[in-house]
Amino acid sequence: MSPENVNCLPESDVKLTLGLPGSGRIPSKPGMKRGFLETVDLNLELDQEVAAKPPAAKAQVVGWPPVRSFRKNAMKSCKYVKVAVDGAPYLRKVDLEICSSYPELLNALEEMFSCLTIWNYLNERKIMDNVNGMEYVPTYEDKDGDWMLVGDVPWKMFVESCKRLRLMKSSEAIGLAPRTPSKNSSTS
Amino acid sequence: MLKKMSYSSFPEDVLEHVFSFVQSDKDRNSISLVCKSWYEIERWCRKRIFVGNCYAVSPRRVITRFPEVRSVELKGKPHFADFNLVPEGWGGYVYPWIAEMASGYPFLEEIRLKRMVVSDESLELIPKSFKNFKVLVLSSCEGFSTQGLAAIAANCRNLRELDLRESEVEDLSGNWLSHFPETCTSLVSLNIACLGSEVSLSALERLLGRCPNLRTLRLNRAVPLDKLANLLCQAPQLVELGTGAYSAELRTEIFSNLAGAFSGCKELKSLSGFWDVVPAYLPAVYSVCTGLTSLNLSYATIQCPDLIKLLKLCPNLQRLWVLDYIEDSGLEALAASCKDLQELRVFPSEPFGAEPNVSLTEQGLVSVSEGCPKLESVLYFCRQMSNDALVTIARNRPNMTRFRLCIIEPRTPDYLTDQPLDVGFGAIVEHCKDLRRLSLSGLLTDRVFEYIGTYAKKLEMLSVAFAGESDLGLHHVLSGCDSLRKLEIRDCPFGDKALLANAAKLETMRSLWMSSCSVSFEACKLLGQKMPRLNVEVIDERGPPDSRPENVPVEKLYIYRTVAGPRFDMPGFVWNMDEDSALRLS
């Protein structure tokens, strides 16, 4: 339940950017939230959190131990959260437990809302509606009721604290002020 | 002139009446072998047919021989399909059967299928063809969607049972349940536990309210706990209940409603479901515990103390399925409280973890074997075992009939002595003379197979993985196990010699599966040529078996007896080794 043990790192090293899986674990700082303004360009790093997983099993043998997939799937916990898209009339649900990283989540969203494309441009990712060209920013409501930018915190922490998702129009997101500037300057 | 024996001068209808008291398939088969007239009488009055391998006989042949059948049970894929060892597309399609039965059995009432591929088209054909259709059981099936279910719900006027146990259903929406018409009042059993989508709870409530004979209801995970009380109030006569997700916000009114609803269910004998358990809600079921004979907690992540509290209240429990969170201490409590226990299954909570996450060892199983005199059926996943423990279990429980042990790490030796577990399993087969089913695991040499061949005379099904040293092991089993019907083997160094030397034995069995063993393509061809009443299927996703040197082992081999000849629906990665195809391939 509690976040991983962390080393103290200067703020700039905690920024999440895109990288190859396992390209290096970047420890997180618990309680580090930032407002929209600072991360509106969506530099999402693939924090694979390799060390956070349980001790890796050796290469799994097919069909061993003999546990039926039905049972395997049922044992996975689900965390369904509602996903709202600004301007769309319907809500969808996504199971955060099925995704193990931010890029997977974005892919799942892309599949769910087929009108959107997750646009990978240089080192940025934007979500864009194919039809009307609107840009969206993925945001989520956390346990405290704050609306945060998706990609802010390590994946596991995000899964735990996320109550629901909202794809907010970029124009609206930019207008939001950072939530807790005082926290941002902490380095503990 | 042969003198007619007196028994054949009984009038036919008397004989038929007598035969109607004989329900077992085996006995019916024996009756049909007595003489030609008994064969004739019997076949005209057989109402139920069980075909253990859908490719062993053609539907047309079944219908021709038994024209008055009302209930059909079929099995398709081999058991190892449960563990993803049978590639997708291998076969097991039910459509040809339903299509034939549509013309041959217009009065068919019951279809029970296991491990078969069932299309929506097949399901749609059912109400169209069988006007009095009553029972549909789809066990571990796949290939259909909720659309097919809608057709069944909407059109089967006298539907009594719809049981989807552990099938893989393409879940398009929960709407299908609303297709049960208002006139449907005949439901006795409804099992939708495997479905993902939410069904309309109001439709479900109304359905329950108008089906007074409903005894079995297994809900799916999507049915929230705070709605369960309402549903139960519509069906207080339930005997078997599967809950949905067993979690809700902690609110006293939800709890008291739930507890109240449960206490109104005076007939409840079986409970299952319990996904996502919030332990604080467990006491809501306490009032029904004394009556429980069957409890399936195998999806419930409940820790040991809560489990013990629950089990202590269930003195009449006969069957328990549970996760290894129960640990040795919980099993000890089980052994003390549940003296009527007949069947225990302990599933792994983290089967792929490298380290044990719970304190469950061989000791738990030993305790239960000591404390529960009626224990006869065991499925146990654990991480360590000893010969001593197995010997103790065998001595405690000579009445064991099904024993499946899965030591999670392959080839794990006796943790006390580092020896193979041959002696332990040997004790099991020696003492448990009525053993019908056995699954082996751990470090095992050819010796264990010698024991099995010597002692396991009633054994019908044997599952082997990562065991043995040579063909001698396989030979012991094939030559010694007189009652063997199904043998499934994976990752064992068994090859051509034992197989070819015991070819005739294979015709006395339903099937043999061997994967990742050492059987050559050449041997498969030989076997196929030698034994026309066997289908010898080589399953190899690497490509045609003759594209590799003949001594390279085949990937997978499935051999089954059949009177139907090679099947016509083999996919590209399956080759039949009958005479013709052998010539074609070489």
Side-chain angles (χ1 to χ4, degrees):
Chain A
M1 288 272 257
S2 59
E4 316 78 1
N5 287 331
V6 297
N7 301 315
C8 296
L9 286 180
E11 214 175 329
S12 57
D13 287 323
V14 186
K15 191 157 66 159
L16 298 169
T17 52
L18 267 175
L20 291 170
S23 57
R25 168 168 153 63
I26 294 177
S28 60
K29 282 189 179 188
M32 262 285 301
K33 294 181 187 176
R34 285 173 292 170
F36 292 111
L37 274 185
E38 300 193 34
T39 50
V40 78
D41 282 339
L42 272 191
N43 289 322
L44 276 177
E45 170 123 39
L46 197 69
D47 179 1
Q48 280 295 358
E49 298 187 290
V50 170
K53 290 187 185 146
K58 33 237 123 145
Q60 281 171 28
V61 181
V62 173
W64 191 267
V67 176
R68 304 187 49 198
S69 1
F70 184 80
R71 187 165 289 283
K72 273 188 260 174
N73 293 338
M75 283 313 296
K76 287 190 207 150
S77 51
C78 335
K79 183 167 175 177
Y80 274 99
V81 294
K82 293 188 182 163
V83 186
V85 178
D86 278 0
Y90 51 89
L91 287 182
R92 299 297 296 270
K93 280 192 192 165
V94 67
D95 180 1
L96 294 182
E97 292 281 354
I98 285 186
C99 315
S100 51
S101 65
Y102 285 111
E104 274 188 48
L105 172 62
L106 291 180
N107 280 338
L109 292 177
E110 192 175 13
E111 261 174 68
M112 216 176 279
F113 298 99
S114 47
C115 56
L116 303 174
T117 323
I118 312 293
W119 223 41
N120 199 356
Y121 178 65
L122 295 177
N123 212 20
E124 297 172 0
R125 272 188 166 197
K126 295 187 196 294
I127 300 180
M128 202 157 84
D129 186 317
N130 294 337
V131 174
N132 60 24
M134 301 275 330
E135 273 186 17
Y136 295 89
V137 163
T139 66
Y140 71 101
E141 185 181 2
D142 72 3
K143 278 187 199 157
D144 302 334
D146 296 326
W147 282 93
M148 308 308 306
L149 195 67
V150 168
D152 232 13
V153 298
W155 174 255
K156 284 217 166 185
M157 192 189 290
F158 164 72
V159 171
E160 260 168 60
S161 57
C162 172
K163 278 189 1 200
R164 56 189 157 134
L165 286 165
R166 177 178 160 199
L167 300 190
M168 196 181 280
K169 290 186 187 146
S170 295
S171 46
E172 281 187 38
I174 286 170
L176 284 166
R179 281 262 162 191
T180 47
S182 53
K183 279 191 192 172
N184 295 341
S185 56
S186 84
T187 51
S188 56
Chain B
M1 216 45 167
L2 284 171
K3 182 166 188 242
K4 271 195 182 168
M5 300 286 285
S6 56
Y7 59 71
S8 71
S9 58
F10 269 141
E12 269 186 27
D13 40 358
V14 173
L15 281 172
E16 199 179 304
H17 184 68
V18 172
F19 295 168
S20 71
F21 293 100
V22 179
Q23 294 300 330
S24 119
D25 291 324
K26 220 168 152 244
D27 293 341
R28 277 279 179 153
N29 292 346
S30 303
I31 287 176
S32 67
L33 293 174
V34 167
C35 64
K36 280 193 183 146
S37 67
W38 280 39
Y39 175 94
E40 274 303 307
I41 298 167
E42 194 282 320
R43 78 178 187 90
W44 278 95
C45 65
R46 176 110 51 138
K47 294 277 181 285
R48 242 183 19 219
I49 197 83
F50 168 75
V51 181
N53 174 2
C54 64
Y55 291 120
V57 65
S58 74
R60 193 26 61 185
R61 185 147 177 187
V62 173
I63 295 170
T64 306
R65 178 171 169 188
F66 301 109
E68 295 293 324
V69 157
R70 297 277 186 271
S71 160
V72 170
E73 183 175 348
L74 302 173
K75 293 189 179 180
K77 299 186 214 171
H79 174 239
F80 271 178
D82 283 356
F83 314 124
N84 299 331
L85 289 178
V86 178
E88 180 110 5
W90 170 84
Y93 305 102
V94 79
Y95 187 82
W97 282 84
I98 299 194
E100 287 278 8
M101 295 191 299
S103 53
Y105 290 149
F107 302 112
L108 191 68
E109 295 177 4
E110 306 182 355
I111 294 177
R112 293 179 170 82
L113 305 175
K114 188 165 186 179
R115 287 192 207 97
M116 293 199 74
V117 180
V118 182
S119 60
D120 280 346
E121 212 189 337
S122 312
L123 292 179
E124 282 152 17
L125 200 47
I126 290 176
K128 282 190 204 147
S129 321
F130 314 119
K131 293 307 171 199
N132 201 22
F133 194 72
K134 296 193 169 119
V135 172
L136 183 63
V137 178
L138 301 175
S139 180
S140 307
C141 293
E142 48 155 0
F144 60 102
S145 77
T146 41
Q147 207 138 291
L149 295 180
I152 298 282
N155 302 314
C156 296
R157 294 177 191 228
N158 294 315
L159 195 66
R160 283 212 316 249
E161 281 181 48
L162 179 59
D163 187 340
L164 304 177
R165 46 181 94 156
E166 290 166 358
S167 291
E168 230 178 86
V169 185
E170 196 192 338
D171 208 326
L172 302 169
S173 91
N175 255 332
W176 68 273
L177 191 92
S178 310
H179 285 248
F180 278 111
E182 293 300 315
T183 47
C184 170
T185 58
S186 49
L187 272 185
V188 171
S189 170
L190 181 64
N191 178 355
I192 57 169
C194 62
L195 296 181
S197 311
E198 298 172 46
V199 293
S200 154
L201 291 174
S202 50
L204 183 55
E205 238 180 283
R206 285 195 309 274
L207 182 63
L208 301 185
R210 63 178 185 270
C211 292
N213 297 319
L214 193 71
R215 358 167 325 139
T216 299
L217 178 65
R218 308 270 188 206
L219 301 168
N220 62 342
R221 197 171 187 166
V223 175
L225 188 59
D226 55 355
K227 297 288 192 277
L228 184 57
N230 280 354
L231 295 171
L232 286 181
C233 291
Q234 293 298 325
Q237 77 283 4
L238 281 178
V239 176
E240 302 182 324
L241 171 71
T243 73
Y246 207 77
S247 68
E249 281 170 21
L250 293 175
R251 295 227 303 265
T252 29
E253 71 188 48
I254 300 183
F255 182 91
S256 55
N257 284 344
L258 191 59
F262 269 112
S263 60
C265 296
K266 309 280 185 210
E267 311 292 326
L268 218 43
K269 291 212 164 20
S270 163
L271 276 182
S272 64
F274 296 105
W275 288 284
D276 315 311
V277 176
V278 165
Y281 275 105
L282 279 175
V285 305
Y286 284 178
S287 61
V288 301
C289 285
T290 37
L292 285 185
T293 56
S294 168
L295 191 49
N296 182 352
L297 297 170
S298 63
Y299 298 107
T301 47
I302 315 178
Q303 301 303 319
C304 183
D306 292 313
L307 282 169
I308 292 182
K309 262 191 257 171
L310 189 56
L311 292 171
K312 283 200 165 137
L313 298 171
C314 304
N316 294 310
L317 206 58
Q318 295 170 12
R319 178 197 298 156
L320 177 65
W321 291 21
V322 73
L323 285 170
D324 55 10
Y325 292 126
I326 193 169
E327 300 192 324
D328 289 341
S329 53
L331 290 173
E332 239 180 85
L334 177 69
S337 309
C338 304
K339 295 305 186 183
D340 273 355
L341 196 71
Q342 294 168 18
E343 178 180 326
L344 174 67
R345 295 195 193 187
V346 179
F347 294 95
S349 51
E350 279 176 30
F352 306 109
E355 301 296 317
N357 59 321
V358 290
S359 175
L360 179 102
T361 68
E362 80 284 5
Q363 192 44 51
L365 187 55
V366 171
S367 310
V368 182
S369 76
E370 270 161 11
C372 301
K374 300 190 189 164
L375 185 72
E376 60 172 42
S377 173
V378 166
L379 170 61
Y380 199 75
F381 283 80
C382 61
R383 291 174 189 271
Q384 69 183 44
M385 188 49 62
S386 67
N387 282 309
D388 273 355
L390 285 170
V391 171
T392 305
I393 292 165
R395 292 209 169 120
N396 285 340
R397 295 276 62 81
N399 53 323
M400 192 77 73
T401 55
R402 287 169 294 245
F403 190 75
R404 291 191 278 166
L405 180 67
C406 179
I407 304 166
I408 288 179
E409 179 64 30
R411 303 191 185 92
T412 303
D414 176 326
Y415 77 101
L416 295 170
T417 65
D418 250 7
Q419 293 300 301
L421 291 170
D422 300 336
V423 166
F425 280 107
I428 295 280
V429 292
E430 188 184 346
H431 292 276
C432 308
K433 301 200 191 300
D434 290 323
L435 195 71
R436 293 198 308 265
R437 185 169 180 182
L438 178 64
S439 297
L440 306 172
S441 58
L443 182 65
L444 297 163
T445 70
D446 285 345
R447 203 79 197 284
V448 72
F449 299 108
E450 198 183 336
Y451 291 134
I452 293 173
T454 306
Y455 293 110
K457 295 306 182 186
K458 300 276 179 69
L459 192 66
E460 297 178 7
M461 182 169 178
L462 178 64
S463 307
V464 187
F466 305 103
E469 303 159 297
S470 75
D471 271 46
L472 208 48
L474 180 56
H475 175 69
H476 284 309
V477 172
L478 289 177
S479 58
C481 295
D482 300 333
S483 312
L484 197 63
R485 293 190 298 115
K486 290 180 276 184
L487 179 56
E488 48 185 25
I489 302 173
R490 63 163 297 175
D491 294 275
C492 296
F494 299 148
D496 302 344
K497 281 191 276 203
L499 208 53
L500 293 173
N502 292 283
K505 171 73 172 177
L506 298 176
E507 260 191 36
T508 70
M509 293 164 54
R510 182 187 297 171
S511 65
L512 167 65
W513 169 279
M514 293 178 74
S515 57
S516 306
C517 296
S518 311
V519 182
S520 70
F521 176 49
E522 178 159 27
C524 295
K525 276 194 291 185
L526 249 166
L527 199 57
Q529 283 162 9
K530 227 167 103 168
M531 312 291 296
R533 285 187 304 188
L534 291 181
N535 273 352
V536 178
E537 291 187 10
V538 169
I539 301 166
D540 210 317
E541 289 178 288
R542 299 171 297 186
D546 57 350
S547 62
R548 282 174 287 283
E550 275 193 349
N551 57 0
V552 169
V554 300
E555 211 170 62
K556 297 169 185 179
L557 178 60
Y558 185 47
I559 302 173
Y560 54 91
R561 67 179 174 186
T562 178
V563 294
R567 55 188 175 108
F568 304 112
D569 59 2
M570 287 183 293
F573 52 83
V574 178
W575 291 267
N576 184 296
M577 300 288 107
D578 75 344
E579 280 188 297
D580 293 340
S581 55
L583 286 169
R584 265 186 276 120
L585 284 166
S586 55

